[in-house]
Amino acid sequence: MKKAMAKMEAKLRIEMETRVEAQVAAQVQERIRVEMDVVGLQDQVAEIRNELDNAEVSDSPLFTQSRKLMPK
């Protein structure tokens, strides 16, 4: 009887360890995905900043619209 209980406990322990490992792996994958998203967003922000730095004020649609509204 004790042998059967020990065997059952060992089996349950292995199942629990497997579940925990699967949860950890899923969390690691999610973190990697989130970090990749963050890097992608940082790249987009850098591109936009670069475009803004290189843009001429007169190229801006707001500037063009404001020029049209200004009295001549």
Side-chain angles (χ1 to χ4, degrees):
M1 187 72 172
K2 284 186 179 182
K3 201 172 193 181
M5 285 292 280
K7 195 173 185 179
M8 184 64 108
E9 285 176 0
K11 187 177 179 181
L12 287 173
R13 190 176 327 111
I14 291 170
E15 284 181 26
M16 289 300 292
E17 288 173 359
T18 303
R19 286 182 189 168
V20 169
E21 288 172 359
Q23 288 174 339
V24 169
Q27 289 172 344
V28 168
Q29 288 176 339
E30 177 65 10
R31 178 162 182 160
I32 290 169
R33 187 191 64 74
V34 167
E35 288 177 358
M36 289 175 67
D37 287 349
V38 167
V39 169
L41 291 172
Q42 288 171 336
D43 289 346
Q44 288 178 357
V45 167
E47 277 183 44
I48 292 168
R49 284 185 175 154
N50 190 31
E51 288 176 16
L52 289 172
D53 288 343
N54 294 333
E56 298 269 338
V57 174
S58 60
D59 292 342
S60 165
L62 289 175
F63 181 80
T64 306
Q65 288 175 354
S66 66
R67 296 287 290 169
K68 289 177 183 176
L69 296 174
M70 291 177 105
K72 293 184 181 179

